[in-house]
Amino acid sequence: MSGELDHDGPLSRNDVSGPVEGSLVQANSIAGGVHVYTGSRSRGVPQQLPSAPKLFTGRARELTDLTAALDSGNRPSGTVVISAIGGSGGIGKTWLALHWAHQNKDRFADGQLYVNLRGFGASGKPMCPTVAIRGFLDAFGVGPAATPVDPDAQAALYRSLVAGKRMLIVLDNARDSDHVIPLLPGSSSCTVLVTSRNQLTSLVTAHDAFRLDLNVLDKADGRKLLARYVDNVRISAEPDAMAEILGYCAGLPLALRIVAARVSAQPEFPLTVFADELRDCSARLDALSAGDAQANLRTVLSCSYRYLNAEAAAVFGLLGLAPGPDISLAAVVSLTDLPALRARAVLRDLELAYLVTQHLPGRYRMHDLVRLYASEQSTRDTPAEARSAALRRLVDFYRHTAYLGERALYPIRKSLNVEKPSRGCVPSRLDSETCALAWFDAEHACLLAAQHLAARQRWHKCVWELAWALSSFHRRRGHLHDDVAVWRAGLDAAYQMIDPPACGWAHRFLAHACTRAGMQRDAYDHLRHANSLTDRIDKGIDHSSAPAEPDGVQQAYGHPPCGPSWDDGQALAEISHGLRVYRERLHDPVLEADALNAMGFLQTRLGRPHEARTSCESALALFRRHHDAVGEAAALDSLGYLAQHTGQHTVAVVYFHQALALRRDVGDSFGEADTLGRLGKAYAALGLRADARKFWRQALDQFHTQHRPTEAERIRQELAALHALARHRR
């Protein structure tokens, strides 16, 4: 070291040979090392990582991705490697970061720095970056006397100390990007690992960070994590309880570790005790506590909730109350009574905080345990009247949009007199059959959940109308048991409303639903109840409670269904009775066509082909005149069935192919499966075994998908017989 000092006397020159540590020494010539005591520690290699998590489980893909980010050769020259691990509270961000850091310690010869920034701590006070920098300087042995007063100068000194060094810097639990940026080194030789409950978008856009979002553990890894704590003998002894516990924890690592800690602490308790505690939704979060703040799921989630602004907190709470596995943006608009743009912005804030996930474009979901916490906050912070109004807007959204979807699927049917939606409810427009089917497919689980919610709230008319609006979709897509369930709820709602006509229609819908689900005895009972109620209304009995056609419900499937275990003659008589009602009283040609087609089907089975042809052709003409493609396909299928029974298999093939094309065009999966089965049988009768096998296999796949075991077994027997015949002929 050399320098010149100009005092009022002659110029002095300082010459120092050897290392200098501490303050500048002013002298003439000094040989040897100069050491000035300043109170600082001797400098060593920082080793600040906390201990590695001993029971770390899974995350193989994420560990590989972190290593790949470090090894990537595509980064701009001079850019520091930054990996940002994001996810909700309790998802295991810190465990992943520390596990990877310890696995890769040998790659950082100059040491590791670690700081918990407390961005989402129980105290609610994030650590200031300047405090973190002071800690890093201390790790390098920079004492108070050598530490600049100015924070910017401290940051500059920190960057100077890590420049050119192979170091790992772990910034755990950051609040946001601004919390992290002052701590970033300027040297590309360093690697930075950040964890946060915020998506740290600025780190990605401005600093080329690699973002790694953590999801829940899959069932296999969740089971492995519990098995690290719990004796295998206990697990093997109670597999059902173990499966329940895994289900209630829903793959959240913190929840699994809390349960595991409690199970380990009470080895004499059977696992069913803990499964029973978790089974009760209202007490599940209470059960997910092991005593301290870091092992209490409710406390951990509260650290995220407290940082939400008032609007986001309110929306978060309402989302916790919403029924169904997920929710669309359009449904959120009605739930929250917010404009679409504002609702989207609030959802984005919740996404950034990892409290909701947009798993599909425009569709959002919460982890099950986060949903429970959100529901608790809404119950605590939102008045009961406001919660009820929000849920009614949401149910009305599903009910009115489903009604519009039903109208798009069957525009020729008379309209249902649905009451106006609640103020703030904004139903979606479904202008085409294609849009309606796509909406029903996406919202099906939510619609079922909305009906359950309406039943719990005793909104009986909503329950009945949701059942009605779902029936056509269920029929097309083959949701057999769902159709039975919604109409059982609809029937109960109709009786609660003391509405005999609505009860009659519900019984009639249930008769159809039970027939398609293979519940023939139940179907016949509901049919008898429906006709009895219709007769009572016709005779003036029960008129006082409701109009004969409740709110214009003439568009139900009017003809009685027919099943293989029924007495065909009696069923035909019931259908003839219904046909007169539709012609003379309701004047509904679609219901008339349905009844005629059912009559033709039964007349075929009864060996009355001429009457069957007249009935089926009359039905076909009516369906075509009123542009009912679903009904047209059903009539063509019935004509094919008639041709098949009269030995005209080539004619049957033609009819079945026409019916199949229509059913596929309109998305009638249920009818498609039936037609495929009959088409296979027609080809088999013609000796075209390859064609028969092809269509039977397609039918078998459809029956499996639709959970129709009886039909599936029949097709398996047909295929087995075809295979045996082929072997015999060889």
Side-chain angles (χ1 to χ4, degrees), residues 413-426:
R413 286 181 171 156
K414 296 176 183 178
S415 62
L416 190 67
N417 183 22
V418 183
E419 64 187 5
K420 291 182 179 180
S422 306
R423 184 176 180 181
C425 170
V426 185

Side-chain angles (χ1 to χ4, degrees), residues 24 200 258 274 327 409 414 469 479 506 555 561 563 575 604 676 715:
L24 177 67
L200 306 179
I258 291 171
F274 303 98
I327 190 167
L409 293 179
K414 296 176 183 178
H479 295 299
Q555 55 278 70
I575 290 174
T604 298
L676 285 167
I715 296 298

Side-chain angles (χ1 to χ4, degrees), residues 644 649 676-686 692 696 714 718:
Q644 198 170 50
H649 300 295
L676 285 167
R678 294 185 185 118
L679 188 53
K681 190 168 186 176
Y683 275 120
L686 291 170
W696 272 335
R714 175 173 52 79
E718 298 277 19

Side-chain angles (χ1 to χ4, degrees), residues 382-449:
T382 305
E385 297 80 6
R387 297 197 306 272
S388 179
L391 291 175
R392 183 54 187 259
R393 289 193 302 269
L394 182 62
V395 168
D396 279 358
F397 165 80
Y398 288 124
R399 176 170 58 124
H400 282 266
T401 308
Y403 167 71
L404 294 174
E406 172 73 7
R407 296 296 296 154
L409 293 179
Y410 287 99
I412 59 174
R413 286 181 171 156
K414 296 176 183 178
S415 62
L416 190 67
N417 183 22
V418 183
E419 64 187 5
K420 291 182 179 180
S422 306
R423 184 176 180 181
C425 170
V426 185
S428 295
R429 292 178 58 86
L430 302 175
D431 296 327
S432 70
E433 192 174 12
T434 301
C435 288
L437 282 174
W439 185 84
F440 276 118
D441 284 332
E443 298 286 4
H444 185 223
C446 295
L447 287 161
L448 297 179

Side-chain angles (χ1 to χ4, degrees), residues 429-583:
R429 292 178 58 86
L430 302 175
D431 296 327
S432 70
E433 192 174 12
T434 301
C435 288
L437 282 174
W439 185 84
F440 276 118
D441 284 332
E443 298 286 4
H444 185 223
C446 295
L447 287 161
L448 297 179
Q451 194 199 40
H452 283 299
L453 171 63
R456 291 196 304 271
Q457 297 290 330
R458 302 184 64 80
W459 297 333
H460 302 309
K461 198 163 188 285
C462 295
V463 174
W464 194 94
E465 289 175 353
L466 277 166
W468 179 86
L470 277 162
S471 283
S472 297
F473 169 73
H474 283 163
R475 183 187 186 190
R476 287 210 196 185
R477 291 302 201 223
H479 295 299
L480 313 179
H481 297 285
D482 288 331
D483 203 27
V484 172
V486 298
W487 268 113
R488 280 179 173 160
L491 179 64
D492 182 66
Y495 276 107
Q496 292 290 336
M497 292 188 292
I498 317 176
D499 189 336
C503 294
W505 284 106
H507 278 301
R508 204 171 292 280
F509 271 105
L510 263 173
H512 283 273
C514 289
T515 295
R516 290 191 294 274
M519 303 161 63
Q520 306 298 348
R521 192 70 262 162
D522 289 342
Y524 190 68
D525 288 343
H526 284 298
L527 176 61
R528 286 191 297 103
H529 280 299
N531 285 340
S532 173
L533 283 166
T534 300
D535 290 340
R536 288 169 64 85
I537 293 170
D538 283 344
K539 294 173 182 176
I541 306 172
D542 290 329
H543 248 309
S544 59
S545 61
E549 292 130 23
D551 298 325
V553 187
Q554 294 96 332
Q555 55 278 70
Y557 301 129
H559 65 81
C562 44
S565 63
W566 286 32
D567 179 281
D568 288 343
Q570 188 173 5
L572 186 60
E574 296 284 359
I575 290 174
S576 299
H577 171 76
L579 179 61
R580 289 193 298 273
V581 172
Y582 311 136
R583 278 177 173 168

